[in-house]
Amino acid sequence: MKRRVAILISGRGSNMAALIEAARAPDFPAEIVTVISNRADAGGLEKAAAQGIPTTVIESKPFGNDRAGFEVMLQQALDAKNVELICLGGFMRLFTAEFVQRWYGRMLNIHPSLLPSFPGLDPHGQALGAGVKISGATVHFVIPETDAGPILMQGAVAVADDDTAETLSQRILGIEHRIYPQALRLLASGRARLEGDVCKISGSVSDGSLIVPAVD
């Protein structure tokens, strides 16, 4: 049985599109059963509808700081579709600790840095300011603390001397679109498991390496 997945978005839904595309494969262990947005003007809603994915809008603005009230409506939408796993794709709203605990081990997020480095806002600017030679993206389980959950998968890119936050962001976005579907596959297939605060993966994942700058 394929695991039933909801994708939560607030904007254009580029990672959402990558997940939907991956889930088309007959052997993919999950199916995208709904896309939910907290903004009616999110560009990803139209993209999802064009792919035949049911969409729901739960406007968060009327709830103000009442996160629990918003989450009651969100949980109802998730229950209506019998959702088993959640993928956050640029979902710009914080959850209460209670909601996160309910979905612990079943809710993923993606962040454009190699966590635990550069969590929070402007990760690309943080990376450039620190002068790192490698940056990338991280898929992690969601916990109450921001960008601090157990890491499921990471992908890296080289940072060029002439990179700007914008150019680095675009290159990392390509990595995001590659690793998020792979991470969901691992979770949905049961190969990813949590042992305390660490995610372990059964079977070989990769034996590659990335060394920057490369020298002879």
Side-chain angles (χ1 to χ4, degrees):
M1 292 288 292
K2 291 176 179 280
R3 305 295 298 276
R4 296 175 64 83
V5 179
I7 304 175
L8 275 54
I9 65 171
S10 296
R12 61 185 177 178
S14 65
N15 274 305
M16 173 207 74
L19 290 167
I20 291 173
E21 177 65 25
R24 288 177 171 174
D27 65 341
F28 199 81
E31 59 176 327
I32 312 304
V33 297
T34 187
V35 169
I36 302 173
S37 175
N38 68 319
R39 293 175 57 104
D41 61 352
L45 290 169
E46 187 174 341
K47 295 178 184 177
Q51 297 297 322
I53 307 296
T55 64
T56 298
V57 175
I58 307 172
E59 285 277 9
S60 57
K61 190 174 182 179
F63 289 91
N65 294 325
D66 182 12
R67 288 187 284 164
F70 171 80
E71 289 164 5
V72 169
M73 301 298 294
L74 175 59
Q75 187 62 51
Q76 290 177 359
L78 296 169
D79 290 342
K81 293 294 185 180
N82 297 314
V83 170
E84 300 172 89
L85 304 173
I86 296 174
C87 288
L88 306 182
F91 189 68
M92 304 302 290
R93 186 169 177 88
L94 296 176
F95 294 116
T96 64
E98 290 76 15
F99 184 85
V100 171
Q101 187 59 41
R102 171 180 287 186
W103 287 93
Y104 180 73
R106 298 185 294 145
M107 181 160 54
L108 299 178
N109 190 28
I110 190 161
H111 182 75
S113 79
L114 294 176
L115 294 173
S117 296
F118 317 130
L121 299 176
D122 191 24
H124 308 302
Q126 292 186 61
L128 293 173
V132 298
K133 304 305 181 188
I134 297 173
S135 189
T138 302
V139 179
H140 63 93
F141 290 93
V142 177
I143 65 173
E145 294 76 23
T146 302
D147 300 329
I151 293 169
L152 199 165
M153 181 174 282
Q154 293 181 302
V157 299
V159 179
D161 288 344
D162 61 352
D163 260 327
T164 64
E166 290 73 22
T167 59
L168 183 58
S169 172
Q170 284 302 309
R171 203 154 61 254
I172 290 177
L173 189 61
I175 291 292
E176 293 180 45
H177 294 168
R178 290 171 57 188
I179 68 171
Y180 212 170
Q182 294 179 36
L184 178 57
R185 178 186 287 273
L186 289 173
L187 179 60
S189 66
R191 291 181 59 194
R193 68 188 187 281
L194 290 176
E195 294 185 4
D197 295 330
V198 177
C199 177
K200 299 292 184 70
I201 309 296
S202 62
S204 176
V205 176
S206 173
D207 59 1
S209 62
L210 175 61
I211 300 173
V212 178
V215 294
D216 295 330

